[in-house]
Amino acid sequence: MIDDLDLGFDEAERGEKGRHRRGFVRKRNGQGGGRGKTVLALLLAMVLLGGIGGGAFYGFDRIQNYFVTPDYDGAGTGEVTVEIKQGALLADMADALYTAGVVKSPKAFIEAAADNARSKNIQPGLYKLRKEMSGSHAVTAMLDLKNKIVNGITIPEGRTAKNVFKLLADKTKIPVKDFEAAAKDPIGLGVPDWWFKRSDNKKVKPSIEGFLYPDTYEIPPKATAESILTMMVENFLTVTGQMEFADKVQSERKIAPYEALIVASLAQAEAGNKDDLGKVARVAYNRIYGEFPCNCLEMDVTVNYYLELTGQDTKRSADMTEAELLDTKNPYSRKLPGLPPTPINNPGKEAMAGAMDPPKGKWLFFVAIDKAGHSAFADTAEEHERNKQKAREAGII
């Protein structure tokens, strides 16, 4: 007669095979069941067990867990700080909350989040929560910004590593020299060694430049220079992985990912408007791998990077000396063939997307022509001169 009772058994498990292994399913609201029916099934099972004998109730907790998701009642007590890491999935959040004693089971949080459409707005960072909260209370608390510990810093696109270290030091009071020391081992910070290979056979000295992904970061308590830079590298790897950056530049550009990252940094430095990021990347590719006479970049931003790298003041292009512009002893010289040794800053996602998939064009030259930073692009030197005249008339150069 037990087979005739509706205890929430999965109908798909009925039959000869199902009689040996019943499958319990928690039916959702609107699907002919829900928590009330599950509880009813539990009570019926208790009655049946009671018919076997009072000693059978020793397994009540175990039986209960098959029917009901372990969950606390109410808003909890005390206080606990929980860190939700950058890139954390819902399951990762649930595990963090369970480990901290906030929820009774990861499933309690996951089910509550599934029932709350706003749960997708939960952000990485630190949260002040309570212990022994119900899953639904935990979700609600994490959506309330009053419970988020704000110790954030925004790293803008296109900042050099030296500049990033200063921003981080000002925010955290960790000395710049600590960041510089940690940055000496980018592979130790999580950059895979394959990133430092090039298809042009130029030797690479691993550098952190390019891998400190620009974003807003929550700085955890007791953070170190090493842990902060590691967090930024992890974010870079997450973003580029989602973009399939490495795979696409190798298959479509036929170059190493490191070279495309260098091009992204050039575009980030040179483009005055995000609309031109891909076009500037195309110019860099055309100059290095195309029919540009010297196969060199002739971009002043590489000279400025070297000046900053060596502790000198950066300059406007008009203020650079002929010696600085033509110096081929500088490894970042604008006149040396090929790409420079490293990226010249830390590019953002849009710049990397432009380097990964630039628009088609034979452009070899560009110049800013309006105050919004838009550039005009040219295939020939003659056309470029006409664009420069437009820029002069607009008061841009």
Side-chain angles (χ1 to χ4, degrees):
M1 294 300 293
I2 293 177
D3 281 347
D4 294 329
L5 292 173
D6 183 1
L7 301 183
F9 294 135
D10 186 349
E11 292 295 329
E13 294 290 339
R14 296 194 184 276
E16 191 60 35
K17 184 177 179 180
R19 293 181 189 279
H20 297 287
R21 182 174 58 84
R22 299 290 186 184
F24 299 107
V25 293
R26 183 177 183 272
K27 298 178 181 177
R28 297 207 177 269
N29 292 338
Q31 295 181 341
R35 193 177 185 90
K37 191 168 184 179
T38 303
V39 173
L40 176 61
L42 175 61
L43 293 173
L44 288 170
M46 290 170 58
V47 171
L48 292 172
L49 287 172
I52 297 171
F57 281 96
Y58 79 92
F60 171 77
D61 285 340
R62 182 176 297 178
I63 294 170
Q64 183 185 37
N65 288 343
Y66 280 111
F67 290 90
V68 182
T69 297
D71 198 1
Y72 293 119
D73 290 323
T77 59
E79 187 175 283
V80 63
T81 300
V82 180
E83 179 185 2
I84 301 300
K85 294 186 176 180
Q86 195 83 22
L89 302 175
L90 198 61
D92 300 321
M93 297 181 191
D95 287 339
L97 295 172
Y98 173 68
T99 301
V102 175
V103 294
K104 196 169 187 178
S105 67
K107 191 178 179 184
F109 177 78
I110 291 172
E111 289 186 351
D115 290 338
N116 190 325
R118 293 181 59 235
S119 63
K120 63 181 181 294
N121 297 323
I122 296 176
Q123 299 295 316
L126 295 172
Y127 291 86
K128 283 184 180 179
L129 302 171
R130 295 182 175 183
K131 290 195 172 185
E132 300 187 1
M133 303 179 78
S134 70
S136 61
H137 274 91
V139 170
T140 301
M142 295 177 74
L143 289 169
D144 187 344
L145 294 180
K146 290 187 296 185
N147 296 316
K148 195 168 188 288
I149 302 173
V150 179
N151 186 29
I153 179 172
T154 298
I155 305 298
E157 291 93 342
R159 297 298 179 95
T160 64
K162 285 177 69 73
N163 189 266
V164 170
F165 298 158
K166 186 176 186 310
L167 291 175
L168 292 171
D170 290 345
K171 175 67 178 180
T172 65
K173 309 309 176 187
I174 298 172
V176 167
K177 63 182 178 62
D178 288 9
F179 289 102
E180 293 173 338
K184 288 180 179 178
D185 183 13
I187 294 174
L189 293 173
V191 182
D193 58 1
W194 57 261
W195 266 100
F196 298 110
K197 300 184 186 303
R198 296 177 64 144
S199 62
D200 59 7
N201 296 320
K202 286 191 176 183
K203 187 176 180 180
V204 179
K205 181 181 179 181
S207 165
I208 198 62
E209 197 75 77
F211 299 98
L212 301 176
Y213 186 71
D215 204 345
T216 298
Y217 294 90
E218 291 288 335
I219 307 300
K222 300 180 181 179
T224 64
E226 184 177 0
S227 69
I228 294 170
L229 297 186
T230 297
M231 176 172 59
M232 297 180 75
V233 168
E234 287 177 351
N235 199 13
F236 170 87
L237 296 175
T238 297
V239 172
T240 53
Q242 292 170 344
M243 296 172 67
E244 299 182 1
F245 182 85
D247 291 339
K248 288 185 177 179
V249 298
Q250 288 179 100
S251 64
E252 298 174 15
R253 303 270 73 76
K254 308 301 181 185
I255 60 174
Y258 195 59
E259 291 164 89
L261 184 62
I262 293 172
V263 170
S265 74
L266 295 169
Q268 190 76 74
E270 285 280 12
N273 188 287
K274 67 178 182 179
D275 297 337
D276 291 336
L277 287 166
K279 288 184 177 181
V280 174
R282 175 58 73 185
V283 171
Y285 286 133
N286 289 345
R287 288 185 178 183
I288 297 299
Y289 303 110
E291 299 179 2
F292 201 54
C294 63
N295 291 120
C296 60
L297 284 170
E298 289 195 348
M299 293 183 178
D300 299 344
V301 289
T302 62
V303 177
N304 257 334
Y305 179 72
Y306 182 70
L307 292 175
E308 182 180 347
L309 197 65
T310 53
Q312 303 175 64
D313 292 334
T314 57
K315 301 179 179 182
R316 295 186 311 119
S317 296
D319 296 331
M320 289 183 180
T321 67
E322 186 173 344
E324 289 168 336
L325 291 171
L326 301 179
D327 180 16
T328 54
K329 293 181 180 179
N330 167 7
Y332 292 87
S333 170
R334 67 197 294 278
K335 284 292 187 180
L336 286 175
L339 291 170
T342 68
I344 63 169
N345 57 49
N346 294 278
K349 185 176 181 178
E350 290 177 319
M352 288 193 286
M356 181 176 71
D357 186 23
K360 295 184 183 300
K362 296 181 179 180
W363 311 299
L364 292 172
F365 308 95
F366 62 95
V367 62
I369 58 170
D370 63 33
K371 293 182 179 179
H374 291 100
S375 291
F377 293 79
D379 297 3
T380 66
E382 292 76 17
E383 186 183 357
H384 181 51
E385 283 301 320
R386 291 194 292 271
N387 289 335
K388 287 169 68 176
Q389 182 58 35
K390 292 178 184 177
R392 293 187 191 99
E393 293 171 357
I396 305 302
I397 61 173

